[in-house]
Amino acid sequence: MSVNMTKGQQISLSKADGSALSAVRMGLGWQAAPRKGFLAKLTGGGEIDLDASAVLFAAGQPVDVVFFQHLVSDDGSVRHTGDNLTGGAGAGGDDEAVLVDLSRVPAQVDQIVFTVNSFTGQTFAEVQNAFCRLVDETTGAELARYTLTGGGKHTAQIMAKVQRTSGGWQMKAIGEPATGRTFQDLLPSITPHL
């Protein structure tokens, strides 16, 4: 059963029987919002290039990142499925996804923060039906979904994080608007959420 998460909500990443999940997928989907007015008829529908990234942290410091130019973490525990330059899934499947083998994440990594940014600089006012979702990669069951709402003039979002705790991994929906074209631009906006 999937949980529709709200900003700031946190859930434990365990199976219904209480055992820990071993692998999860953070999926991202979006669509270009329909354009309005005279120019929209001339330029046609839009394409939006959003990029999903996963930044791995150890004691508050970034130690690795997975994104469209570095598809696999140095230790191999986190993997990006590839860059989608247009979007389109929005209401359904994932346009981009980051796979995390929780059992292989190095012990010093205590948080993985998932971000999305518009590499081409288009704002979220031009995006609709955007979401991130967490899926049990072993069974394919959706565990949680966070819908991005509100559009806005920002070009990025700090989406969510998974955090190692004494009882296992937990996911927290962050949903914080930010400005930046790359994950590096977002590091100052990520820091308050660690």
Side-chain angles (χ1 to χ4, degrees):
M1 180 176 156
S2 180
V3 175
N4 283 320
M5 296 185 74
T6 57
K7 187 174 181 173
Q9 186 177 1
Q10 193 160 297
I11 62 167
S12 174
L13 298 185
S14 57
K15 297 180 182 180
D17 65 5
S19 62
L21 291 169
S22 59
V24 294
R25 173 173 21 113
M26 179 64 74
L28 170 67
W30 71 92
Q31 293 174 322
R35 295 182 179 174
K36 298 177 183 172
F38 177 73
L39 287 177
K41 293 176 184 171
L42 295 176
T43 59
E47 294 180 346
I48 304 285
D49 180 11
L50 297 183
D51 293 316
S53 302
V55 186
L56 289 70
F57 286 89
Q61 297 300 311
V63 294
D64 201 355
V65 65
V66 173
F67 69 116
F68 70 93
Q69 290 182 329
H70 185 242
L71 294 175
V72 180
S73 62
D74 294 339
D75 58 65
S77 65
V78 182
R79 186 170 46 93
H80 195 295
T81 59
D83 195 13
N84 178 317
L85 302 176
T86 62
D94 304 328
D95 291 313
E96 290 193 12
V98 177
L99 307 172
V100 182
D101 185 341
L102 295 169
S103 64
R104 292 182 54 207
V105 173
Q108 74 271 19
V109 173
D110 52 13
Q111 296 182 73
I112 302 172
V113 178
F114 299 93
T115 66
V116 57
N117 54 276
S118 172
F119 186 73
T120 53
Q122 292 158 301
T123 69
F124 275 76
E126 299 174 70
V127 176
Q128 70 178 10
N129 298 327
F131 66 86
C132 73
R133 67 188 191 125
L134 192 72
V135 175
D136 179 341
E137 192 61 14
T138 306
T139 66
E142 182 176 293
L143 305 170
R145 178 178 288 255
Y146 177 64
T147 303
L148 283 74
T149 57
K153 295 183 179 182
H154 53 281
T155 57
Q157 283 246 359
I158 314 303
M159 299 287 290
K161 71 177 181 177
V162 291
Q163 181 173 2
R164 191 188 306 261
T165 67
S166 58
W169 290 91
Q170 292 187 336
M171 177 189 173
K172 181 176 183 179
I174 298 172
E176 187 69 32
T179 301
R181 294 179 54 237
T182 67
F183 75 88
Q184 295 100 323
D185 298 339
L186 303 179
L187 290 175
S189 298
I190 292 172
T191 303
H193 300 285
L194 298 177

